[in-house]
Amino acid sequence: MADGDRLGPLLRVPQGEVDLTRFDPRATPGFAGSKTDAPAAIAALSPELGELQERLFAAGRAEPERARRILLVLQGMDTSGKGGVLRHVIGLMDPQGTSIKAFKAPTEEELQHHFLWRIERELPQPGMIGIFDRSQYEDVLVARVNQLVPEHVWSARYDEINSWEADLVTSGTVVIKCFLHLSKDEQKARLAERLEDPTKYWKYNPGDLDARARWDDYTTAYTDALHYCNPDTAPWYVIPADRKWYRNWAITRLLIEHLRELDLGWPAADFDVAEEQRRLAAS
């Protein structure tokens, strides 16, 4: 598939200095239609995504020592749509072939270990697609903005993350890192919607406003994470997230493109097919 037909190159963060103001959170790169066209477009992608995932899962069952894995990292400010991606994109796939982990504040046990310890424990198994709702990057985002550790500690973590991700890729994991790029105005609208609808109170967290008050600090922290942890082997993709329908379509496309690149076939039978057909007919 030529780069001109692929969405990934349009969303990938260029290497070097990053300026998030150059990324429009309402943009729809690579999508020719409008919101009304999105449901059909996503539905059209669903069969291929399902088959490619099944091939990956089958490889994990047949040859676990050689099977690849995919790790989808979702990062973004509150209300950027990490949960929506889980429902509308990951929901298109067979759940037995996926593993989902939402990372919250570290527990007392986790704080006793290296910051990557809890991340390592949740990595996808061979043949699986793992999804991280927040990730190792919380330790250069929340930890930085809220001054949970000194600067010399969090600043050293960029290199640690790069080295760790390089090892993941070398061992057969495809890492897809998505920053869900939300505007401050859209976040305000989504938080207001949650406060106006009793069926959405459960989604609202008063702490979201505390984080919102540090919007500029978080923007700086995200900018540095995208800059310092953006190698060719595990690049960042900026997903415009003000339009929920585009966000879902774009991540579906990214998953398909990465699965296609694995060029997965179906595992060959490790038994005599003709003999099993004979036995079945005689049963």
Side-chain angles (χ1 to χ4, degrees), residues 6-264:
R6 299 176 64 243
L7 183 64
L10 298 180
L11 300 178
R12 180 177 169 179
V13 177
Q15 291 186 328
E17 295 291 334
V18 175
D19 180 359
L20 279 176
T21 65
R22 299 182 62 183
F23 296 88
D24 181 0
R26 291 188 61 79
T28 59
F31 194 87
S34 63
K35 179 179 180 179
T36 56
D37 302 309
I42 293 174
L45 295 173
S46 181
E48 182 179 11
L49 178 61
E51 179 177 330
L52 290 170
Q53 182 217 2
E54 188 174 5
R55 291 186 182 213
L56 179 66
F57 187 62
R61 289 287 185 89
E63 297 184 294
E65 67 284 352
R66 296 177 54 190
R68 306 293 296 278
R69 318 147 205 240
I70 286 182
L71 174 61
L72 175 65
V73 172
L74 303 175
Q75 285 285 162
M77 293 290 285
D78 298 315
T79 78
S80 60
K82 296 179 290 295
V85 171
L86 296 179
R87 289 190 299 275
H88 299 293
V89 179
I90 308 309
L92 298 174
M93 297 187 285
D94 185 339
Q96 70 176 333
T98 64
S99 62
I100 299 170
K101 174 61 180 179
F103 288 98
K104 308 297 184 183
T107 65
E108 287 298 323
E109 179 187 16
E110 289 167 346
L111 288 171
Q112 302 305 310
H113 295 270
H114 187 273
F115 77 98
L116 289 171
W117 179 79
R118 66 174 185 156
I119 311 297
E120 185 84 32
R121 300 174 75 201
E122 302 295 339
L123 288 171
Q125 295 300 306
M128 299 288 287
I129 296 178
I131 304 94
F132 283 177
D133 175 347
R134 304 186 187 275
S135 67
Q136 60 273 16
Y137 286 96
E138 292 296 284
D139 290 284
V140 292
L141 295 168
V142 175
R144 170 180 176 169
V145 172
N146 292 335
Q147 300 179 340
L148 302 181
V149 294
E151 180 176 354
H152 75 271
V153 174
W154 61 253
S155 62
R157 289 174 175 170
Y158 299 122
D159 286 341
E160 291 182 85
I161 289 172
N162 284 335
S163 178
W164 180 77
E165 289 179 353
D167 288 343
L168 279 186
V169 173
T170 299
S171 66
T173 300
V174 177
V175 181
I176 309 171
K177 300 184 303 196
C178 295
F179 169 56
L180 308 185
H181 187 31
L182 184 75
S183 69
K184 192 174 183 180
D185 287 345
E186 180 63 19
Q187 186 195 57
K188 186 173 186 177
R190 292 182 185 181
L191 289 172
E193 182 182 359
R194 292 179 181 183
L195 288 172
E196 292 164 1
D197 184 350
T199 68
K200 295 185 177 180
Y201 288 168
W202 65 275
K203 289 185 175 184
Y204 186 82
N205 181 348
D208 292 348
L209 289 185
D210 298 326
R212 179 175 167 80
R214 308 291 300 274
W215 185 275
D216 291 344
D217 293 332
Y218 272 106
T219 298
T220 299
Y222 269 110
T223 297
D224 284 348
L226 269 58
H227 174 203
Y228 291 116
C229 299
N230 188 35
D232 288 337
T233 52
W236 276 103
Y237 298 93
V238 170
I239 312 296
D242 275 17
R243 302 179 194 269
K244 298 176 183 179
W245 60 267
Y246 177 81
R247 174 201 69 207
N248 296 337
W249 175 82
I251 293 180
T252 304
R253 276 285 304 269
L254 279 179
L255 278 169
I256 288 175
E257 289 175 8
H258 283 82
L259 281 163
R260 284 175 179 170
E261 289 176 355
L262 297 181
D263 195 23
L264 297 164

